[in-house]
Amino acid sequence: MKHELVKVARPDAVVGIDLGIKTLADSDGVPGAEPNPRHLDHAQKQLRRAGRAVSRRRGPDRATGQQASKRWEKASQARNKIHHRVANLREDTLHQTTRLACKYGTIVVEDLGVAAMGRNRRLSRRVADAAFGEIRRRLTYKTRRRGTRLVVADRWDPSSKTCSRCGAVKTKLPLSMPVFECDNCGLVLGRDANAGHNLVALAARTTSTAAAGDLDLATAKSKPRGADRKTRVTCPRRKDGTGRAGGAIPSPRAGKETGDRQQDTGAQLALR
């Protein structure tokens, strides 16, 4: 089924979205910020209680062929119901991106390394609960459906470290500093709001002749550090006769069998 293009409210407006854990989405041009609901964190107490109830029951065992008890099945269903509710709440939060796709003609987002962020043992659960990659995926098809433009900033672009007023770049900006303070011009602004201003400026510098809704920077530039290149090159097989010793080296077993056959042939000639 083909979807018809829907006109947006402000086709000439640009909005930059900075994703985070404390604030799920802080954007430039939109009053306020979208707080992170943290559905999984709020359900941890219920999940721990339901998990203890499941562990006390007699569960299935594949090694011995033991069947699960009725009480275990009932407790497992109660635990799965909590997980299902958290998933539905997260789904509803992610679909709130439709408001941005219906209002602005150009949306700028970051190309975050979600897989690398998930390796942090302190932030992995919250990163997975925020679903940064899913937000970008939904914005991609929603902007294409409405004929708008989605610009993806480069992964290594220092949008949070760059001053949105004078362009000075800080060498270090730890996550513990929620406020950006510029040492050059004295600008004091929220970290996410400053990044949103820089993303909007990036969209103004970007000129694209592609169709509406295409990703501009993520597909045009190759990622650094060899991320889009093969890490192992398969060498062509050497032909016989071009080995290190002038030819292919046979296995020891093959050499013994060849020597045995030669000895047998010599013995037959001696008998003749």
Side-chain angles (χ1 to χ4, degrees), residues 172-224:
K172 292 183 179 180
L173 187 65
L175 295 175
S176 58
M177 296 179 60
V179 179
F180 179 85
E181 297 181 3
C182 182
D183 300 333
N184 187 23
C185 64
L187 175 66
V188 179
L189 191 63
R191 177 195 185 103
D192 297 337
N194 178 67
H197 285 289
N198 291 327
L199 292 176
V200 171
L202 175 65
R205 296 193 305 266
T206 304
T207 56
S208 175
T209 58
D214 291 342
L215 304 184
D216 295 329
L217 298 180
T219 57
K221 295 183 180 180
S222 61
K223 297 179 181 179

Side-chain angles (χ1 to χ4, degrees), residues 2-109:
K2 295 183 178 180
H3 296 276
E4 297 181 357
L5 294 179
V6 181
K7 293 183 179 181
V8 296
R10 301 172 60 185
D12 298 332
V14 183
V15 61
I17 301 175
D18 183 77
L19 302 177
I21 296 178
K22 292 185 178 180
T23 302
L24 184 61
D26 195 351
S27 53
D28 175 50
V30 179
E34 185 70 24
N36 189 3
R38 298 187 180 184
H39 302 297
L40 186 59
D41 284 352
H42 294 331
Q44 284 300 310
K45 184 176 180 180
Q46 298 178 1
L47 286 174
R48 283 193 293 266
R49 183 181 300 174
R52 288 195 298 267
V54 172
S55 64
R56 294 191 186 101
R57 272 58 171 174
R58 188 188 66 187
D61 191 354
R62 293 184 179 180
T64 60
Q66 175 179 289
Q67 298 293 330
S69 64
K70 296 296 183 180
R71 298 180 66 192
W72 184 90
E73 293 180 355
K74 184 177 179 179
S76 180
Q77 290 178 3
R79 182 184 58 181
N80 295 341
K81 186 177 180 180
I82 300 174
H83 280 292
H84 188 64
R85 182 176 182 274
V86 170
N88 289 338
L89 291 173
R90 187 184 299 113
E91 187 81 7
D92 180 72
T93 303
L94 293 176
H95 271 303
Q96 301 302 323
T97 55
T98 308
R99 295 180 298 177
L100 296 173
C102 292
K103 188 175 182 180
Y104 298 96
T106 302
I107 302 175
V108 190
V109 294

Side-chain angles (χ1 to χ4, degrees), residues 101-263:
C102 292
K103 188 175 182 180
Y104 298 96
T106 302
I107 302 175
V108 190
V109 294
E110 296 176 304
D111 183 20
L112 298 176
V114 182
M117 296 170 64
R119 298 189 187 101
N120 190 336
R121 61 185 182 87
R122 296 183 179 180
L123 301 177
S124 58
R125 187 178 66 191
R126 291 180 173 86
V127 168
D129 190 24
F132 297 141
E134 187 66 15
I135 293 176
R136 174 183 164 182
R137 187 190 71 85
R138 301 198 181 198
L139 283 175
T140 301
Y141 77 80
K142 288 179 181 181
T143 51
R144 288 176 179 172
R145 182 179 298 175
R146 287 161 179 81
T148 55
R149 182 185 176 202
L150 178 66
V151 179
V152 180
D154 187 63
R155 180 171 297 183
W156 311 108
D157 184 34
S159 59
S160 299
K161 300 179 182 179
T162 306
C163 179
S164 58
R165 178 186 295 175
C166 63
V169 182
K170 282 182 172 291
T171 56
K172 292 183 179 180
L173 187 65
L175 295 175
S176 58
M177 296 179 60
V179 179
F180 179 85
E181 297 181 3
C182 182
D183 300 333
N184 187 23
C185 64
L187 175 66
V188 179
L189 191 63
R191 177 195 185 103
D192 297 337
N194 178 67
H197 285 289
N198 291 327
L199 292 176
V200 171
L202 175 65
R205 296 193 305 266
T206 304
T207 56
S208 175
T209 58
D214 291 342
L215 304 184
D216 295 329
L217 298 180
T219 57
K221 295 183 180 180
S222 61
K223 297 179 181 179
R225 301 185 184 181
D228 57 346
R229 290 177 290 181
K230 294 183 179 179
T231 57
R232 183 176 181 182
V233 180
T234 56
C235 300
R237 295 185 61 184
R238 294 182 177 179
K239 297 182 181 180
D240 295 339
T242 59
R244 185 176 299 178
I249 301 176
S251 62
R253 183 177 180 182
K256 291 181 180 180
E257 292 179 355
T258 305
D260 294 342
R261 287 195 294 268
Q262 291 178 356
Q263 292 177 2

